[in-house]
PDB file of all heavy atoms in Angstrom:
ATOM      1  N   ILE A 303     -50.791  22.860  25.163  1.00 92.00           N
ATOM      2  CA  ILE A 303     -51.887  23.528  24.457  1.00 92.00           C
ATOM      3  C   ILE A 303     -53.229  22.963  24.913  1.00 92.00           C
ATOM      4  O   ILE A 303     -54.190  23.717  25.123  1.00 92.00           O
ATOM      5  CB  ILE A 303     -51.693  23.418  22.934  1.00 92.00           C
ATOM      6  CG1 ILE A 303     -50.522  24.323  22.517  1.00 92.00           C
ATOM      7  CG2 ILE A 303     -52.971  23.789  22.189  1.00 92.00           C
ATOM      8  CD1 ILE A 303     -50.036  24.107  21.110  1.00 92.00           C
ATOM      9  N   GLU A 304     -53.313  21.654  25.084  1.00 94.00           N
ATOM     10  CA  GLU A 304     -54.560  21.052  25.565  1.00 94.00           C
ATOM     11  C   GLU A 304     -54.911  21.558  26.962  1.00 94.00           C
ATOM     12  O   GLU A 304     -56.077  21.830  27.258  1.00 94.00           O
ATOM     13  CB  GLU A 304     -54.463  19.527  25.548  1.00 94.00           C
ATOM     14  CG  GLU A 304     -54.471  18.938  24.155  1.00 94.00           C
ATOM     15  CD  GLU A 304     -55.670  19.364  23.322  1.00 94.00           C
ATOM     16  OE1 GLU A 304     -56.811  19.322  23.825  1.00 94.00           O
ATOM     17  OE2 GLU A 304     -55.463  19.775  22.162  1.00 94.00           O
ATOM     18  N   GLU A 305     -53.911  21.681  27.820  1.00 92.00           N
ATOM     19  CA  GLU A 305     -54.139  22.213  29.169  1.00 92.00           C
ATOM     20  C   GLU A 305     -54.642  23.658  29.096  1.00 92.00           C
ATOM     21  O   GLU A 305     -55.586  24.036  29.796  1.00 92.00           O
ATOM     22  CB  GLU A 305     -52.851  22.155  29.993  1.00 92.00           C
ATOM     23  CG  GLU A 305     -52.992  22.741  31.379  1.00 92.00           C
ATOM     24  CD  GLU A 305     -51.686  22.815  32.152  1.00 92.00           C
ATOM     25  OE1 GLU A 305     -50.735  22.083  31.823  1.00 92.00           O
ATOM     26  OE2 GLU A 305     -51.630  23.630  33.088  1.00 92.00           O
ATOM     27  N   LEU A 306     -54.024  24.468  28.231  1.00 93.00           N
ATOM     28  CA  LEU A 306     -54.449  25.853  28.081  1.00 93.00           C
ATOM     29  C   LEU A 306     -55.875  25.944  27.539  1.00 93.00           C
ATOM     30  O   LEU A 306     -56.666  26.771  27.991  1.00 93.00           O
ATOM     31  CB  LEU A 306     -53.489  26.620  27.172  1.00 93.00           C
ATOM     32  CG  LEU A 306     -52.090  26.853  27.729  1.00 93.00           C
ATOM     33  CD1 LEU A 306     -51.202  27.488  26.668  1.00 93.00           C
ATOM     34  CD2 LEU A 306     -52.132  27.711  28.981  1.00 93.00           C
ATOM     35  N   LYS A 307     -56.196  25.089  26.595  1.00 95.00           N
ATOM     36  CA  LYS A 307     -57.550  25.087  26.040  1.00 95.00           C
ATOM     37  C   LYS A 307     -58.565  24.723  27.118  1.00 95.00           C
ATOM     38  O   LYS A 307     -59.645  25.324  27.185  1.00 95.00           O
ATOM     39  CB  LYS A 307     -57.638  24.116  24.863  1.00 95.00           C
ATOM     40  CG  LYS A 307     -56.967  24.659  23.607  1.00 95.00           C
ATOM     41  CD  LYS A 307     -56.810  23.639  22.497  1.00 95.00           C
ATOM     42  CE  LYS A 307     -58.057  22.973  22.052  1.00 95.00           C
ATOM     43  NZ  LYS A 307     -57.851  22.045  20.939  1.00 95.00           N
ATOM     44  N   ALA A 308     -58.225  23.776  27.982  1.00 94.00           N
ATOM     45  CA  ALA A 308     -59.132  23.375  29.058  1.00 94.00           C
ATOM     46  C   ALA A 308     -59.337  24.536  30.038  1.00 94.00           C
ATOM     47  O   ALA A 308     -60.475  24.808  30.451  1.00 94.00           O
ATOM     48  CB  ALA A 308     -58.587  22.148  29.782  1.00 94.00           C
ATOM     49  N   ARG A 309     -58.272  25.216  30.397  1.00 92.00           N
ATOM     50  CA  ARG A 309     -58.398  26.357  31.317  1.00 92.00           C
ATOM     51  C   ARG A 309     -59.183  27.496  30.669  1.00 92.00           C
ATOM     52  O   ARG A 309     -59.939  28.194  31.321  1.00 92.00           O
ATOM     53  CB  ARG A 309     -57.036  26.833  31.780  1.00 92.00           C
ATOM     54  CG  ARG A 309     -56.387  25.838  32.720  1.00 92.00           C
ATOM     55  CD  ARG A 309     -55.117  26.369  33.293  1.00 92.00           C
ATOM     56  NE  ARG A 309     -54.405  25.312  33.966  1.00 92.00           N
ATOM     57  CZ  ARG A 309     -54.130  25.326  35.257  1.00 92.00           C
ATOM     58  NH1 ARG A 309     -54.510  26.332  36.004  1.00 92.00           N
ATOM     59  NH2 ARG A 309     -53.455  24.340  35.795  1.00 92.00           N
ATOM     60  N   ARG A 310     -58.989  27.667  29.386  1.00 94.00           N
ATOM     61  CA  ARG A 310     -59.747  28.686  28.660  1.00 94.00           C
ATOM     62  C   ARG A 310     -61.231  28.357  28.684  1.00 94.00           C
ATOM     63  O   ARG A 310     -62.078  29.233  28.893  1.00 94.00           O
ATOM     64  CB  ARG A 310     -59.240  28.778  27.220  1.00 94.00           C
ATOM     65  CG  ARG A 310     -59.924  29.832  26.396  1.00 94.00           C
ATOM     66  CD  ARG A 310     -59.392  29.839  24.954  1.00 94.00           C
ATOM     67  NE  ARG A 310     -60.018  30.859  24.166  1.00 94.00           N
ATOM     68  CZ  ARG A 310     -61.201  30.724  23.567  1.00 94.00           C
ATOM     69  NH1 ARG A 310     -61.877  29.593  23.676  1.00 94.00           N
ATOM     70  NH2 ARG A 310     -61.710  31.711  22.855  1.00 94.00           N
ATOM     71  N   GLU A 311     -61.574  27.100  28.469  1.00 95.00           N
ATOM     72  CA  GLU A 311     -62.976  26.682  28.508  1.00 95.00           C
ATOM     73  C   GLU A 311     -63.573  26.907  29.894  1.00 95.00           C
ATOM     74  O   GLU A 311     -64.720  27.336  30.013  1.00 95.00           O
ATOM     75  CB  GLU A 311     -63.121  25.218  28.092  1.00 95.00           C
ATOM     76  CG  GLU A 311     -62.938  24.983  26.606  1.00 95.00           C
ATOM     77  CD  GLU A 311     -63.909  25.789  25.751  1.00 95.00           C
ATOM     78  OE1 GLU A 311     -65.123  25.811  26.063  1.00 95.00           O
ATOM     79  OE2 GLU A 311     -63.454  26.405  24.773  1.00 95.00           O
ATOM     80  N   GLU A 312     -62.808  26.594  30.942  1.00 93.00           N
ATOM     81  CA  GLU A 312     -63.275  26.843  32.306  1.00 93.00           C
ATOM     82  C   GLU A 312     -63.572  28.328  32.498  1.00 93.00           C
ATOM     83  O   GLU A 312     -64.594  28.693  33.089  1.00 93.00           O
ATOM     84  CB  GLU A 312     -62.227  26.397  33.328  1.00 93.00           C
ATOM     85  CG  GLU A 312     -62.048  24.910  33.440  1.00 93.00           C
ATOM     86  CD  GLU A 312     -60.868  24.509  34.320  1.00 93.00           C
ATOM     87  OE1 GLU A 312     -60.315  25.377  35.043  1.00 93.00           O
ATOM     88  OE2 GLU A 312     -60.485  23.334  34.277  1.00 93.00           O
ATOM     89  N   PHE A 313     -62.676  29.170  31.995  1.00 93.00           N
ATOM     90  CA  PHE A 313     -62.894  30.608  32.117  1.00 93.00           C
ATOM     91  C   PHE A 313     -64.137  31.036  31.342  1.00 93.00           C
ATOM     92  O   PHE A 313     -64.952  31.808  31.844  1.00 93.00           O
ATOM     93  CB  PHE A 313     -61.664  31.389  31.638  1.00 93.00           C
ATOM     94  CG  PHE A 313     -61.915  32.865  31.585  1.00 93.00           C
ATOM     95  CD1 PHE A 313     -62.050  33.601  32.751  1.00 93.00           C
ATOM     96  CD2 PHE A 313     -62.051  33.518  30.372  1.00 93.00           C
ATOM     97  CE1 PHE A 313     -62.314  34.965  32.711  1.00 93.00           C
ATOM     98  CE2 PHE A 313     -62.305  34.869  30.317  1.00 93.00           C
ATOM     99  CZ  PHE A 313     -62.440  35.598  31.490  1.00 93.00           C
ATOM    100  N   LEU A 314     -64.290  30.524  30.123  1.00 94.00           N
ATOM    101  CA  LEU A 314     -65.460  30.882  29.320  1.00 94.00           C
ATOM    102  C   LEU A 314     -66.752  30.449  30.003  1.00 94.00           C
ATOM    103  O   LEU A 314     -67.763  31.174  29.951  1.00 94.00           O
ATOM    104  CB  LEU A 314     -65.363  30.271  27.920  1.00 94.00           C
ATOM    105  CG  LEU A 314     -64.352  30.919  26.980  1.00 94.00           C
ATOM    106  CD1 LEU A 314     -64.296  30.156  25.663  1.00 94.00           C
ATOM    107  CD2 LEU A 314     -64.694  32.382  26.741  1.00 94.00           C
ATOM    108  N   ASP A 315     -66.731  29.283  30.639  1.00 93.00           N
ATOM    109  CA  ASP A 315     -67.914  28.825  31.382  1.00 93.00           C
ATOM    110  C   ASP A 315     -68.254  29.805  32.491  1.00 93.00           C
ATOM    111  O   ASP A 315     -69.425  30.155  32.688  1.00 93.00           O
ATOM    112  CB  ASP A 315     -67.680  27.431  31.967  1.00 93.00           C
ATOM    113  CG  ASP A 315     -67.637  26.339  30.913  1.00 93.00           C
ATOM    114  OD1 ASP A 315     -68.053  26.590  29.757  1.00 93.00           O
ATOM    115  OD2 ASP A 315     -67.173  25.221  31.242  1.00 93.00           O
ATOM    116  N   LYS A 316     -67.246  30.233  33.231  1.00 91.00           N
ATOM    117  CA  LYS A 316     -67.473  31.194  34.318  1.00 91.00           C
ATOM    118  C   LYS A 316     -67.963  32.532  33.758  1.00 91.00           C
ATOM    119  O   LYS A 316     -68.826  33.187  34.335  1.00 91.00           O
ATOM    120  CB  LYS A 316     -66.199  31.405  35.140  1.00 91.00           C
ATOM    121  CG  LYS A 316     -65.782  30.203  35.934  1.00 91.00           C
ATOM    122  CD  LYS A 316     -66.788  29.919  37.023  1.00 91.00           C
ATOM    123  CE  LYS A 316     -66.331  28.752  37.872  1.00 91.00           C
ATOM    124  NZ  LYS A 316     -67.328  28.405  38.882  1.00 91.00           N
ATOM    125  N   LEU A 317     -67.409  32.941  32.630  1.00 91.00           N
ATOM    126  CA  LEU A 317     -67.819  34.198  32.013  1.00 91.00           C
ATOM    127  C   LEU A 317     -69.279  34.131  31.575  1.00 91.00           C
ATOM    128  O   LEU A 317     -70.044  35.078  31.774  1.00 91.00           O
ATOM    129  CB  LEU A 317     -66.908  34.524  30.830  1.00 91.00           C
ATOM    130  CG  LEU A 317     -67.060  35.888  30.188  1.00 91.00           C
ATOM    131  CD1 LEU A 317     -66.823  37.000  31.190  1.00 91.00           C
ATOM    132  CD2 LEU A 317     -66.097  36.016  29.014  1.00 91.00           C
TER     133      LEU A 317
END
Side-chain angles (χ1 to χ4, degrees):
I303 289 168
E304 289 305 313
E305 178 186 339
L306 292 174
K307 285 170 56 177
R309 289 186 191 242
R310 182 182 181 277
E311 286 302 314
E312 290 172 12
F313 173 71
L314 287 176
D315 290 346
K316 292 293 183 184
L317 188 59

